[in-house]
Amino acid sequence: MSSTPEQRMSGAPFEPASALARLASGSRAGRLLHVHEVPARQARRAEWPSWVHPAVYAAFASSGVTSLWSHQAQAAELARAGEHVVMATGTASGKSLGYLVPVLSSLVEGADAPTGRGATALYLSPTKALAADQVARLQALAIPGLRAATYDGDTPQEERRWIREHAQLVLSNPDLVHHSLLPQHQRWAPFLRALRYVVIDECHIYRGVFGSHLAALLRRLRRVAARYGASPTFVLASATVRDPALHAQRLTGLPVHAVEEDGSPREAMTFALWEPGDLPGRDATGGPFGAPDGEDVDTSGETPARRSATSEAADLLADLVAGGVQTVAFARSRAGVEALAGSARRSLGEVAPGLEAAVAAYRGGYLPEERRGLERSLREGSLVGLAATNALELGIDISGLDAVLLAGWPGTRASLWQQAGRAGRAGTRSLAVFVAADDPLDTYLVHHPEAVFGQSVEATVMDPENPHVLAPHLAAAAAELPLTEADLPLFGRDARALVEALVARGILRRRPTGWYWARTDRATDHVSLRGSGEVVGIVERRTGRVLGTIDEASAHSQVHTGAVHVHQGETYVVTDLDLEGRTACVVRGDPGWSTFAQSDSAFDIVATERSFHWGPVTVSFGPVKVHTQVTSFLRRLPSGEIIGTHPLDLPRRTLSTKAVWWTMPVEVLEACGVEEPDIPGAAHAAEHAAIGMLPLVATSDRWDIGGVSTALHPDTGLPTILIYDGHPGGAGFAERAFDAFSTWLGATRDAIASCGCERGCPACVQSPKCGNGNDPLDKAGAVALLSMVLAWGEGAGSRKAQVTAAG
Ligand SMILES: [Zn+2]
Ligand SMILES: [Zn+2]
């Protein structure tokens, strides 16, 4: 490094207010929309529990931990008493100590047993990297008599056996439990017999369909452990979420105590909301395809109205780094991270030559030693700026940064606080800046600080009884140990019907002693924990190399024959999509145009499970079948010019899922100014924005959700807007939208109404995944439609209040 950041030389404490004032001056005036001050939190200490094993205490004490924060002690006491517990406290609040104190004490006590393993524990993390970090930290503690080991896909066969037979603490992931531990439980018998604790780290990650999978997996684990006489205590660690006890209860199927009061101290933080400036001219960056970042590229082909969050954050990062402010900038995708770091380096090259090397990109998937190297460079100060995806949440320890930039909404308030929590060192205030991306949710949030700061974090949404997830897990359970009548309640209300359906399909067989797996293949191979449905491999034609996979539903629209597909920053053309062979053959090269799939969608309402009326508006929730057929694709030049439409011959796909929908009579729409010919555009625009705003009320992102709108639906006989979970069987998002309907729709209306564009843009009603090329869209009609629905809702609310008062 030829140049040392000025501030580091002066040693002056970081002043977030003045740093922010510098960022918001000059040509960037007007972009800082709101500043929120987060007050400091005082430390609350607690005594070590009297029962802590002396060897465990000594190991922590010699590593510098001499007292506990209150939440650590509270969780440790509950777990020690055999109560299931979930800790939901902030980033860097030391949750691991909350489970390590009771777990390690029991394991070391158990080392005196005749078997040498009086107690065992299983630690599960969503990533291998996190488990590897944990084991490295445990080894550094050097507790005498403790045998801890990671057990994952990379563990060599010969080590596996030693681990099964000797390790007291096994650190693994859900995939390994599913594919290895449970199917081969006999080999794990001694470990399972002594199983005292199951630790589930980062448990907020298990939401939506992944959450349903984990819930089923943990029920299988509990059942198999019970067969060996064990009923382990579950200790879960979560980011701050709303109602963590309920989430943990759904995951484990057990009553769980929540520890939410964070006893660790925190310095004050200045949190800013930032809206990037408008693009100087419509084609200033060569249109959306010439945008320098590759992340916020709007695949609808419409020209964005303002600078992307990535470009803006790159500028802010360069300024902060030039000022010596240690900063991490979070982008939403890997491509965004590369673009952000690259653009920041270029800017630094102009204003502070020599400082380019002080900015790095963290791409995830790094080896532990590479990650340690990065941590070291940050600590030593040779690295001043880091761009990262939220992969950083899992597996790299950076603390003591001054500032955090968030390029685009990280999806949830929980993630926002988790990422912002990366900034802050003892004795110094910190800065966080949320930079809005060009979409309705981000636009709404920077203009509505109360939606960011005035509310607690979201509840985690998941459905442990999703039949599409549960059925194959029941089959896997039967393959592990025959299922009996007594097992059914563990798997929920519909378990019997699902088991009977599996018998009818010849997958299970009923015998006097229970239900048995009736096939010759492995039951667990039929379940993918991380997704749903079949996958299509993307194969490079020349080399036969598999570049990656894509789920079959997305394959139709993303890798159809003739599609231009960008994979990890490289452009490919799909020469052939073979659905039967589950491969898309690609050749590398950029033909100079982009492709956009066009599709037809329709839906059948299977049943209305719940509904309510707002005057003439009916809002419903229930199972639906959504039919989608990709019919053609467009080729577009970077200028936006369409150079051809090409038909495709792809089968219609049907998704059985859950949806929320609402209907409005034509005359009511006309009364609010939406004439009949304008209904399709108004409904379509409202649908797009509603999809974009759903993450405000549910922990989903827009790719988890789909929508269909129609001016006349055969099942309802009325104009209908439907928003559905994009996963078979549903994932809980649509139901959450139904429950929070007025909040959700109100925000959707406000997001569209407050957008400064004239006729609709990506920040309000255009969608990057529209199968109709964002046509028709009627922005004003959507505002009128949504205002009408909300007005009936207010009327319904006050009528209800009157009834309550009268009664
Ligand atoms: Zn707009
Ligand atoms: Zn659309």
Side-chain angles (χ1 to χ4, degrees), residues 360-515:
Y362 178 72
R363 284 175 290 268
Y366 280 13
L367 297 170
E369 50 271 34
E370 294 174 300
R371 291 187 278 125
R372 295 295 91 82
L374 218 49
E375 289 171 4
R376 207 167 35 245
S377 309
L378 276 168
R379 259 196 316 276
E380 290 165 356
S382 57
L383 196 59
V384 187
L386 185 66
T389 61
N390 63 2
L392 199 55
E393 282 178 9
L394 305 168
I396 175 169
D397 179 35
I398 48 164
S399 43
L401 296 188
D402 296 314
V404 168
L405 301 171
L406 299 108
W409 182 244
T412 60
R413 284 185 292 275
S415 303
L416 180 87
W417 289 112
Q418 198 175 27
Q419 296 184 3
R422 291 291 179 174
R425 53 176 135 166
T428 312
R429 300 173 61 93
S430 59
L431 173 67
V433 183
F434 163 47
V435 180
D438 209 7
D439 68 45
L441 180 64
D442 285 32
T443 307
Y444 175 85
L445 289 169
V446 290
H447 288 277
H448 293 80
E450 73 284 358
V452 180
F453 303 115
Q455 301 191 35
S456 62
V457 292
E458 301 81 357
T460 309
V461 171
M462 59 168 287
D463 174 10
E465 299 194 4
N466 178 331
H468 294 255
V469 173
L470 197 49
H473 280 282
L474 281 165
E480 285 148 16
L481 290 169
L483 270 174
T484 64
E485 289 285 346
D487 291 329
L488 294 182
L490 178 65
F491 292 98
R493 292 167 299 183
D494 300 331
R496 170 177 303 279
L498 292 172
V499 166
E500 279 164 7
L502 290 167
V503 171
R505 289 168 57 199
I507 293 169
L508 297 186
R509 183 177 301 140
R510 178 93 214 229
R511 290 192 188 154
T513 49
W515 288 277

Side-chain angles (χ1 to χ4, degrees), residues 684 687-688 767 770-772 774:
H684 189 198
E687 170 218 320
H688 279 185
S767 163
C770 181
N772 298 309
N774 281 306

Side-chain angles (χ1 to χ4, degrees), residues 332-345:
R332 292 194 289 205
S333 68
R334 284 186 183 199
V337 166
E338 297 292 343
L340 208 162
S343 165
R345 277 193 219 106

Side-chain angles (χ1 to χ4, degrees), residues 84 117 158 162 191 249 289 310 557 591 675 692 714 739 774 790:
H84 310 294
R117 275 205 303 191
E158 59 278 14
W162 183 90
F191 179 86
Q249 224 151 318
F289 309 99
T310 323
S557 58
E675 297 300 328
D739 287 332
N774 281 306
L790 288 159

Side-chain angles (χ1 to χ4, degrees), residues 326-360:
Q326 274 206 319
T327 306
V328 60
F330 289 104
R332 292 194 289 205
S333 68
R334 284 186 183 199
V337 166
E338 297 292 343
L340 208 162
S343 165
R345 277 193 219 106
R346 278 192 298 279
S347 312
L348 278 169
E350 286 162 24
V351 298
L355 263 182
E356 298 100 313
V359 174

